[in-house]
Amino acid sequence: MRCTRSILTRDILLSATLSVFVACGSGTGPSSGPPPTLSSVEPATGTVGTELRIEGSNFRAGARVFLGDLEADFPEVTSSSVLFAFVPSGVPVDTPLDVVVRNSDATEAEALAAFTAVVPNLAFMNGATRPSGNLGSTVVLEGEAFGDLRGTGQALFSDGAGGTVPAAITTEDDWTDTFILTTVPSGAATGDVVVQTATGTSDPISFTVTQEATFSPSVVDWRQTTSLPAPVSGHAALFLLAEDGSGQDLQRVYVVGGADGAGSGGTNVWFGAVGSDGTVAAWDATAGLPAGRAYHAVLAATPFNSRVNGDGWIYVLGGVASTGDVPLATIYRAPLMSDGTVGSWIEIGALPEPLHSQKAVIFQSRIYIVGGATTGDAPSASVHRAAVDTLGNLGTWEQLTSLPSVRARHAVTLIGNCLHVVGGDNLAVSPGDPALTSARYDVIHRARIDLRSREISSAGWTLDDTKTVKARRSHTSVIAGGGMLNTAGLYEGIGNFGSSENMFSQIDADCEVAGFNGANNQNSIKKNGGANLFDHAAVSFVDASGTAHVMILGGDAADQAGQKQDGVWVY
């Protein structure tokens, strides 16, 4: 904040009648002198309440700013070369206005046609063009010409009956000219969202209001659906939404790579359509990877989670070529097609360091890589981020706040802007090693992604009060029904017919994990005819009726040495 903003909030500025501000810096100099000059006015477009940054020279305390014949609100001289002012009410739309700075001694400078008031442009919600969320969930609206003063505009959700529901803006800093932070309001329904200001209403973005279904391992009924085309472990799986030609959503699961019985990484890419009951009727093969991969990370950028054009892109990051090999830094990318297939794979760059057994998530068009094992199988504490542009290209990797300790063979979940790192270990272990190592974690570290900078928030990583009950590694953790489900992995007592196989906890609004409860023996994959799994894959999704599902795919068998699995289980 600039110095006056530390004294006067934007709300006070709106409600108070103030003609003089305490000036800052060199702006407190003499009231007369050389005439001012203007070198820039930013932004060039905006709406009522947009804050203008004006640069030049010889600005003095008491300077006034005019846009055409209208006097700007709340001018603030921060130095002899920089001043700020807010666009006033009454500005005409789509009419270029001259900007004038006039010192108190009547000397002035003019920038011709330097500002134009426009209708707001809502470009993205939650970094995507096909957003969705639960009632009360955090929503970020991005675009231009929203204004910088809370109260000069509204974010309006559909009520499902032809009307609108305004979203609450909690603090003054939650509304800026390019960024609005709010939550899905009570009474909102699936439909259009718009931003409305004094200069007009934005084009809409369709927003889907989802439901949090009841979910608990105490009622888990695992069903086996169509098996994978081959047994694998150390593979990766994705659940993706797509859209058919008529605008209907399609649900698909993808399985990429993985180690076979000999430990070699596969080039396989399989996908299956998810039916209304959460099962897969058949698996199809599509374009394979350029080289075999296992213990890698896979994610996709689609219009449902990112700003990308078209159907989106699928990425394969790092991994190993075969069990026991050195980790790789290679990144592959392929286009997603509307029929579920993927196009040709190409190499598009490298991770910041070679990694296997790392985890990746995507949030608002940014990929986050958390932990993993690097050269010599040494676990890493690093966290990196890269932006995804509209063409699916990755920006420069940036290092974020590291984990409190090194971590590999862990799990990472993302709910809202809350990241959780679950379990894992801190030993140099070859990928696929079934050893029940002594350095397993039963702790969860959490952090928030800052919704402005998209970095790890200033609070950093916090040790959650809740533990995972069983210290485990090579497991999966997914978000389902507003909570976290930890499944299988290597943990003490794994041979006891799966009594600790599934553990579930709700996640509170402040990101804290509430406390885990387990399923009884009758409800485990092991008891239902499967294996004590590790290095498997998992996805979660919500069907059209709002029911949450979890799918467990493949894996290795801790109780059957070297026996890769092809089973697919659904709850």
Side-chain angles (χ1 to χ4, degrees), residues 168 191 419 529 532:
L419 279 170
N532 283 321

Side-chain angles (χ1 to χ4, degrees), residues 7 9 58 95 174 255 277 302 313 318 387 390 428 432 498 508 514 521 526 544 566:
I7 302 171
T9 70
N58 302 319
T95 302
D174 290 344
V255 175
D277 60 353
T302 75
W313 304 85
T390 56
D508 297 334
N521 291 355
K526 170 64 176 177
D566 62 3

Side-chain angles (χ1 to χ4, degrees), residues 109-174:
E110 183 177 42
L112 298 177
F115 179 81
T116 303
V118 297
V119 172
N121 172 34
L122 175 59
F124 307 104
M125 292 180 64
N126 283 351
T129 54
R130 290 292 310 276
S132 63
N134 300 320
L135 294 177
S137 64
T138 298
V139 177
V140 182
L141 295 82
E142 298 175 81
E144 297 86 29
F146 299 155
D148 286 291
L149 296 175
R150 181 175 67 162
T152 56
Q154 295 185 96
L156 300 173
F157 284 72
S158 170
D159 66 359
T164 59
V165 182
I169 310 301
T170 304
T171 72
E172 51 154 328
D173 288 328
D174 290 344

